[in-house]
């Protein structure tokens, strides 16, 4: 009889957003009038449309697909077209990270690569994840039967966990700017993680999905801005938040040529080679029109248009942060991130605060407890809404808590 992967039974039962949806549905059914006023500041999805240059590039590419001479089928390598890898490489160079086109693989987004990358690592690794964290890191490791240990991100360390030299980790997940806490690692802090990884023969999987939101100078846009990182880190990035590609799907993963590990027989193994082998067997690349759209993001006009959208969200983040300041609520994020991670007032727990906002002012956020044990008592608001809805939600919050 067929056997199942019973690791799935070890996953936490109620995925955060399912529970949130359930509570909203129950409230809406019992309070249909109030429910019309709901403002959603929970799910981390963008709302601004794609930049016009991106749409034009995709339309042009679609037209090419309809003509015999310019039609394209399978891409040779599935690693991404050179035009896009070159554009990403130049983008990295623009903020001081030396990443060559042959170290980049184009993907359909960061989530798949974050989840799939563990295929190239063996079993028995000590996997370290910061708590709280984006759920994919933990879930994908549990599905593969790996044990996960946690580095605590807390109010005391500004929700930016640092390495503990008494703990030996092999695989380390870092996300900066962080989802859900909006906190960031500055260059000195990232250097500490890189040094720790080099000392322990560990590999860092660095999720840079929010790099485009960074505004402060000492916060690196890439882990490869840090010396030594090319010998110990993989970076996973995405156009989802940078350019509104959540529904278009395109990302990229960088595995440096210097990242070489030893197998059990003592032979050198280039990590990029086995990732290429894995992707070659299980992934056939990103569609040509989407890659042309992605290429347009990195043109000067594309950068200008995408930055306008990011500035729109940053203005919302500023309004939320200002409201928290006025109400004396502690928070992280909002500066280099579309997320504000705030401490629930009056020592409420995350879900009670969620219910209070839902039922008393019809504002939906995300309970911090859903991202790990250190998230309890904390709450995430996102800046991805409209100016109008964000301002209205903040007025209601002031009315509730003042
Ligand atoms: C949104 C997000 C991503 C992007 O995922 P895609 O699959 O590229 O849409 C990656 N990591 C984190 C932490 C995110 O919040």
């Amino acid at each position: 009889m067929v056997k199942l992967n019973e690791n799935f039974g070890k996953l936490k039962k109620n995925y955060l957003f399912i529970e949130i949806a359930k509570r909203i549905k129950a409230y809406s059914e019992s309070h249909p009038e109030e429910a019309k006023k709901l403002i959603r500041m929970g799910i981390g999805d963008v709302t601004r449309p794609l930049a016009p240059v991106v749409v034009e590039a995709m339309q042009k590419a679609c037209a090419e697909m309809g003509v015999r001479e310019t039609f394209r089928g399978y891409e040779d390598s599935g690693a991404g077209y050179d035009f896009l890898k070159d554009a990403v490489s130049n983008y990295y160079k623009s903020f001081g990270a030396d990443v060559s086109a042959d170290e980049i693989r184009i993907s359909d987004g960061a989530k798949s690569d974050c989840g799939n990358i563990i295929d190239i690592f063996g079993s028995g690794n000590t996997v370290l994840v910061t708590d709280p964290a984006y759920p994919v890191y933990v879930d994908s490791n549990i599905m593969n039967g790996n044990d996960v240990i946690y580095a605590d991100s807390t109010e005391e360390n500004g929700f930016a966990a640092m390495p503990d030299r008494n703990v030996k980790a092999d695989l380390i997940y870092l996300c900066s700017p962080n989802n859900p806490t909006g906190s960031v690692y500055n260059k000195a802090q990232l250097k500490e993680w890189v040094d720790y990884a080099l000392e322990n023969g560990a590999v860092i999987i660095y999720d840079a999905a929010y790099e485009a939101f960074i505004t402060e100078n000492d916060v690196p846009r890439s882990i490869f801005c840090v010396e030594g990182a090319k010998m110990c880190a993989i970076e996973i990035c995405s156009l989802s938040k940078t350019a509104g590609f959540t529904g278009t799907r395109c990302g990229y993963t960088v595995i440096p040529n210097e990242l070489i590990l030893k197998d059990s027989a003592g032979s050198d193994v280039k990590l990029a080679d086995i990732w290429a082998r894995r992707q070659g067997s299980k992934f056939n690349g990103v569609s040509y029109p989407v890659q042309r759209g992605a290429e347009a993001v990195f043109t000067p006009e594309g950068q200008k248009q995408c930055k306008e959208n990011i500035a729109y969200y940053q203005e919302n983040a500023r309004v939320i942060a200002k409201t928290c300041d006025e109400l004396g609520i502690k928070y992280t994020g909002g500066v280099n991130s579309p997320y504000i991670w705030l401490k629930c007032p009056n020592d409420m727990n995350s879900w009670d605060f969620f219910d209070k906002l839902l039922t008393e002012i019809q504002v939906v956020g995300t309970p911090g407890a859903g991202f790990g044990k250190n998230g309890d008592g904390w709450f995430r608001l996102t800046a991805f809404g409209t100016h109008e809805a964000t301002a209205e939600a903040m007025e209601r919050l002031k009315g509730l808590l003042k």
Side-chain angles (χ1 to χ4, degrees):
M1 205 172 83
V2 67
K3 291 174 189 62
L4 295 173
N5 179 352
E6 295 188 7
N7 292 318
F8 279 79
K10 299 181 201 156
L11 293 169
K12 265 208 265 133
K13 285 292 168 286
N14 243 325
Y15 187 57
L16 177 61
F17 293 103
I18 296 174
E19 178 61 25
I20 291 173
K22 212 166 85 185
R23 293 191 187 206
I24 296 173
K25 184 162 178 273
Y27 176 72
S28 303
E29 282 168 5
S30 58
H31 298 79
E33 275 313 305
E34 286 93 334
K36 287 180 188 153
K37 296 188 294 183
L38 271 182
I39 298 178
R40 291 173 194 266
M41 300 181 74
I43 294 177
D45 197 355
V46 297
T47 53
R48 311 280 301 159
L50 291 173
V53 283
V54 170
V55 176
E56 278 161 37
M58 289 202 291
Q59 284 170 335
K60 186 164 161 267
C62 286
E64 286 175 42
M65 294 295 268
V67 174
R68 197 180 63 81
E69 285 73 21
T70 51
F71 166 79
R72 303 201 188 207
Y74 288 124
E75 199 191 301
D76 287 344
S77 67
Y81 287 106
D82 286 341
F83 63 76
L84 181 53
K85 289 190 291 184
D86 288 339
V88 174
S89 170
N90 289 331
Y91 181 65
Y92 270 107
K93 290 188 178 112
S94 75
F95 45 76
D98 178 24
V99 171
S100 61
D102 70 342
E103 296 173 307
I104 298 164
R105 290 189 78 87
I106 305 303
S107 71
D108 63 347
K111 191 187 233 180
S112 5
D113 280 11
C114 281
N116 292 331
I117 196 81
I118 46 180
D119 278 9
I120 66 173
F121 297 100
S123 54
N125 283 318
T126 301
V127 179
L128 181 82
V129 177
T130 59
D131 175 328
Y134 183 54
V136 180
Y137 316 142
V138 174
D139 287 355
S140 56
N141 274 287
I142 290 178
M143 288 173 194
N144 269 30
N146 295 337
D147 289 327
V148 176
I149 61 168
Y150 296 93
D152 291 323
S153 293
T154 59
E155 187 175 355
E156 287 68 40
N157 60 28
F159 285 98
M162 295 305 295
D164 175 351
R165 291 203 146 64
N166 299 314
V167 174
K168 296 272 171 260
D170 302 306
L171 202 58
I172 301 159
Y173 287 82
L174 298 179
C175 176
S176 172
N178 191 270
N179 179 10
T181 69
S183 64
V184 287
Y185 288 119
N186 64 28
K187 198 163 182 177
Q189 290 173 312
L190 262 191
K191 179 82 170 70
E192 257 192 70
W193 276 109
V194 167
D195 289 344
Y196 170 90
L198 291 172
E199 281 161 31
N200 288 285
V203 170
I204 296 172
I205 296 171
Y206 191 74
D207 184 338
Y210 296 92
E211 58 81 17
F213 285 82
I214 292 173
T215 55
E216 291 179 316
N217 280 334
D218 67 335
V219 179
R221 299 277 293 269
S222 161
I223 196 167
F224 301 120
C225 296
V226 175
E227 204 192 316
K230 288 194 96 177
M231 270 136 44
C232 65
I234 293 171
E235 181 161 298
I236 297 177
C237 201
S238 163
L239 295 182
S240 284
K241 316 298 162 34
T242 304
F245 269 51
T246 51
T248 305
R249 314 302 310 142
C250 195
Y252 44 93
T253 290
V254 177
I255 305 190
N257 290 325
E258 292 94 318
L259 190 42
I260 295 168
L261 304 181
K262 295 246 182 265
D263 66 15
S264 56
S267 309
D268 284 347
V269 176
K270 207 175 140 188
L271 225 48
D273 289 346
I274 50 175
W275 178 238
R277 187 71 177 82
R278 190 269 174 212
Q279 290 297 79
S281 296
K282 296 195 180 184
F283 183 65
N284 253 340
V286 176
S287 81
Y288 173 68
V290 166
Q291 291 196 57
R292 282 295 185 197
E295 179 192 24
V297 169
F298 299 104
T299 60
E301 187 55 27
Q303 284 293 294
K304 184 171 159 277
Q305 293 176 3
C306 291
K307 280 186 184 139
E308 282 166 13
N309 281 341
I310 287 176
Y312 184 94
Y313 300 133
Q314 282 167 330
E315 171 59 16
N316 288 339
R318 201 190 56 75
V319 169
I320 300 168
K322 183 163 160 274
T323 305
C324 291
D325 286 336
E326 281 175 38
L327 293 169
I329 294 173
K330 285 192 185 145
Y331 63 93
T332 54
V335 180
N336 300 296
S337 159
Y339 298 121
I340 281 84
W341 177 252
L342 60 92
K343 190 171 189 172
C344 302
N346 307 320
D347 294 321
M348 287 181 93
N349 76 41
S350 298
W351 282 106
D352 287 348
F353 190 59
F354 173 89
D355 288 334
K356 186 176 172 69
L357 294 194
L358 171 65
T359 60
E360 294 183 30
I361 59 170
Q362 293 78 43
V363 170
V364 177
T366 311
F371 298 101
K373 77 169 171 34
N374 292 321
D376 201 14
W378 291 76
F379 200 74
R380 192 190 72 175
L381 291 178
T382 84
F384 287 127
T386 63
H387 285 337
E388 296 72 23
T390 304
E392 167 65 20
M394 292 303 103
E395 285 311 309
R396 292 186 201 167
L397 192 66
K398 283 187 220 169
L400 181 71
L401 297 177
K402 245 185 184 153

